[in-house]
Every structure is written in structure tokens, then in C-alpha cells.
Amino acid sequence: MINNQITIKFGGDGNIKVDTLTEFLEIYKDLIYSINNQLGYFSDDLIIEVSPPEKGSFKIKISPKYEKILLKSFETIVVSTLAGLLLYYLTKPEEDKTLEEIKLLLEKQNIEPEIVNNVYNIYQNTSVEQKIKQSFIVVNEDKNITDLKIDKNDKEIINIPKSQFANIINRKEQIEIVHEPKKDIIRDEATLVVKTIHFEGNAKWVFIFRGYPIKASIKDSNFITKLNSEAFMKGDTFKVILARSRTYDEDLQTYIVDQNSYVIEQVLEHTSKTDNQSRLDLK
């Protein structure tokens, strides 16, 4: 009894392009090696053979390279897993399915229960979905092909007319939805006391804001032009429009300010330290 063979049948009366054949078989070779690797074996552990063409069909035969008890019925597992992956790709809905739902899906297609775990794990953790999709792109581009049939051990598992190829290729792919954290930028008028001054490059100045030191870049171009003509020193006071970004922490149920995001968008007023001292002396 044959238990290690996949037969691919390209429908149509004419010849198919040689590139169609070679690209398609290369994709299926990669699929088989991916399955082999996920099952814990190496490429050297199996032999992949392709029969000569017969009425548009090619037989892919898989056999173990070494005579080991460990590899007993190994080729059957690989073939069944490949068949399960193909069926799952063609029948799975757009939303994610649980393992139990996939079991029911594949059991309806007469895939052995012990193979289902392989199918689920390999489909979730490898790029087989893209490889299978690419195989349909390859056959769809060959105008001489009218349908695609695939048998597992002489039992048909796939029979798809070319009219359905485009729908399979363009089917909406599963996209994992990542919920971005809530972020915003707050801007308000603030009074800052200068602690450290940086006149060169894009270095940040250090200020005291509400009793805490912060580092902030200054983006006010009008203020920057004054750096060469106006005196600044530690202890000066700035009245500014201060911006900073914050992210909502779901666990703490509160916003947390990014300490590296402080930006002075506009300097409204600069009061020198000497002015502050004079005002204190006058009081």
C-alpha cells in the first residue's frame, strides 16, 4: 500500500511552462522540509523523489534516507501533515481558530487525529501559509492550466478550478490586531528655573520644573537667535509653552509622562537671575 505519496495534477490540454513546474515543485520541496524540521528531523533524514510526468500529473514520493526504527512510518506522517496544511489553508476562515475547532475542521476532511496537532503547530509557527499561497500564484500565471488537483496516496484531497485561484490568492489574510497603547501630548504654560545651559548642538537644557529636574530641548527658533546676544545663567527663570508625551498604563490606570519627551515649543518670557534678585532687594 502506498503511504508516502502526493500526486499533483495540472489540468489542461496544452503543455505547461517549465518555470511553472520547477517553481511549484520547489515550493512543495520547501514545504516538506519545513514540516520535516518542525517534526524534529533534518533535511538529510528524507529523500524526495518526483516521478516523470504522466498526463499532466507529477508524483512526489517521500522516503526516509536511513533505516531507523525512529523513522518508521515517518514518511506517512509528513505526507499526512502536508495534506492537512493544504486543507486547512483552503478551508480555514479569516479569524483565528482554536485547536479544537481545527480538529473538527480537519476531521471532516478525514485527516487523522494524531496529525492535527502537527498541522496546528506548524501553521501557527512557520511561513507555510505564504508558501501555499505562492504555489497558487505560480499556477494562476500559467494560462495553460485549467485546474489543480492534489491526491494523497491516490485519494483526492484538493480539486480546484482555475476560476477560484484568484479568490484563494486574494483572500484577506489573517492580521494580528495589536492594540496600541493610548498616547497623547500635553502642552501648557509652565515656569522653569534654569539649572544647566547648553549652547551647542541639540543638547538639552536642564531645568527645575515643579521641584523636579527635567531635561528639555528648545524648539523656539526666535529664542535660539537670542543665544548670541542675550545673557543666560543658572537660576534664570523661563515662562514657556512646555510639551511632553505620555502613555496610559492599563495596569496602573493612569498616564505616565515620558521623561525623555520634554520640549519647549515657545519661550514666552526670560527673567534673569539678577532681575529676580533685584526684585527681592526692592521688597
Side-chain angles (χ1 to χ4, degrees), residues 53-118:
E54 180 182 344
K55 295 182 180 179
S57 66
F58 299 82
K59 293 181 173 62
I60 299 177
K61 182 179 179 182
I62 302 169
S63 57
K65 185 175 181 179
Y66 308 108
E67 293 298 330
K68 296 180 180 178
I69 297 177
L70 178 67
L71 294 176
K72 185 179 180 181
S73 73
F74 156 67
E75 65 273 19
T76 306
I77 296 173
V78 173
V79 168
S80 295
T81 302
L82 175 57
L85 288 168
L86 293 172
L87 285 170
Y88 180 52
Y89 176 83
L90 293 173
T91 57
K92 85 178 188 75
E94 292 176 3
E95 68 273 9
D96 280 333
K97 286 290 186 183
T98 66
L99 178 57
E100 290 303 316
E101 289 171 319
I102 291 173
K103 283 182 179 179
L104 293 175
L105 185 70
L106 295 180
E107 285 171 1
K108 290 179 181 178
Q109 303 291 340
N110 297 317
I111 295 297
E112 299 88 337
E114 61 269 21
I115 299 299
V116 176
N117 284 331
N118 294 338

Side-chain angles (χ1 to χ4, degrees), residues 129-143:
E129 181 175 7
Q130 288 299 319
K131 286 184 173 67
I132 296 172
K133 177 179 178 179
Q134 185 60 37
S135 71
F136 280 97
I137 292 175
V138 169
V139 293
N140 189 53
E141 291 176 349
D142 193 325
K143 63 181 181 181

Side-chain angles (χ1 to χ4, degrees), residues 26-218:
E26 185 68 25
I27 291 169
Y28 269 63
K29 183 187 77 172
D30 289 344
L31 279 170
I32 292 168
Y33 280 136
S34 293
I35 295 168
N36 188 56
N37 180 261
Q38 289 295 309
L39 294 177
Y41 298 103
F42 299 98
S43 299
D44 289 342
D45 289 334
L46 79 166
I47 298 172
I48 303 175
E49 298 174 322
V50 180
S51 70
E54 180 182 344
K55 295 182 180 179
S57 66
F58 299 82
K59 293 181 173 62
I60 299 177
K61 182 179 179 182
I62 302 169
S63 57
K65 185 175 181 179
Y66 308 108
E67 293 298 330
K68 296 180 180 178
I69 297 177
L70 178 67
L71 294 176
K72 185 179 180 181
S73 73
F74 156 67
E75 65 273 19
T76 306
I77 296 173
V78 173
V79 168
S80 295
T81 302
L82 175 57
L85 288 168
L86 293 172
L87 285 170
Y88 180 52
Y89 176 83
L90 293 173
T91 57
K92 85 178 188 75
E94 292 176 3
E95 68 273 9
D96 280 333
K97 286 290 186 183
T98 66
L99 178 57
E100 290 303 316
E101 289 171 319
I102 291 173
K103 283 182 179 179
L104 293 175
L105 185 70
L106 295 180
E107 285 171 1
K108 290 179 181 178
Q109 303 291 340
N110 297 317
I111 295 297
E112 299 88 337
E114 61 269 21
I115 299 299
V116 176
N117 284 331
N118 294 338
V119 173
Y120 179 79
N121 292 329
I122 293 172
Y123 205 94
Q124 299 296 319
N125 300 310
T126 68
S127 60
V128 295
E129 181 175 7
Q130 288 299 319
K131 286 184 173 67
I132 296 172
K133 177 179 178 179
Q134 185 60 37
S135 71
F136 280 97
I137 292 175
V138 169
V139 293
N140 189 53
E141 291 176 349
D142 193 325
K143 63 181 181 181
N144 294 322
I145 294 177
T146 59
D147 59 71
L148 176 65
K149 298 177 183 178
I150 297 179
D151 296 350
K152 184 192 84 168
N153 301 330
D154 293 330
K155 182 178 180 180
E156 185 176 279
I157 58 172
I158 288 176
N159 186 345
I160 303 174
K162 191 168 188 175
S163 59
Q164 294 183 21
F165 287 178
N167 291 334
I168 293 171
I169 294 168
N170 298 321
R171 183 182 62 190
K172 182 180 178 181
E173 295 181 15
Q174 176 64 34
I175 299 175
E176 181 181 357
I177 299 175
V178 178
H179 296 286
E180 292 291 338
K182 297 177 184 177
K183 295 182 179 180
D184 65 5
I185 297 176
I186 50 176
R187 294 178 178 85
D188 53 21
E189 188 175 298
T191 299
L192 308 177
V193 178
V194 177
K195 183 179 180 182
T196 305
I197 300 171
H198 292 284
F199 290 105
E200 297 181 356
N202 295 316
K204 294 181 177 182
W205 291 36
V206 181
F207 299 93
I208 302 300
F209 173 53
R210 296 176 180 172
Y212 297 93
I214 65 168
K215 293 181 179 180
S217 56
I218 302 176

Side-chain angles (χ1 to χ4, degrees), residues 219-236:
K219 301 299 184 182
D220 186 342
S221 57
N222 291 328
F223 172 79
I224 292 173
T225 60
K226 298 178 182 180
L227 294 178
N228 295 325
S229 59
E230 191 170 332
F232 300 92
M233 66 177 65
K234 181 179 180 180
D236 283 4

Side-chain angles (χ1 to χ4, degrees), residues 215-269:
K215 293 181 179 180
S217 56
I218 302 176
K219 301 299 184 182
D220 186 342
S221 57
N222 291 328
F223 172 79
I224 292 173
T225 60
K226 298 178 182 180
L227 294 178
N228 295 325
S229 59
E230 191 170 332
F232 300 92
M233 66 177 65
K234 181 179 180 180
D236 283 4
T237 302
F238 286 179
K239 184 180 289 186
V240 303
I241 300 299
L242 183 66
R244 58 272 194 201
S245 63
R246 60 182 187 171
T247 303
Y248 189 75
D249 189 301
E250 295 289 349
D251 292 332
L252 299 176
Q253 297 292 293
T254 188
Y255 280 96
I256 298 177
V257 173
D258 181 353
Q259 296 298 313
N260 296 314
S261 67
Y262 285 101
V263 175
I264 295 173
E265 296 185 339
Q266 185 179 0
V267 178
L268 303 174
E269 182 182 322

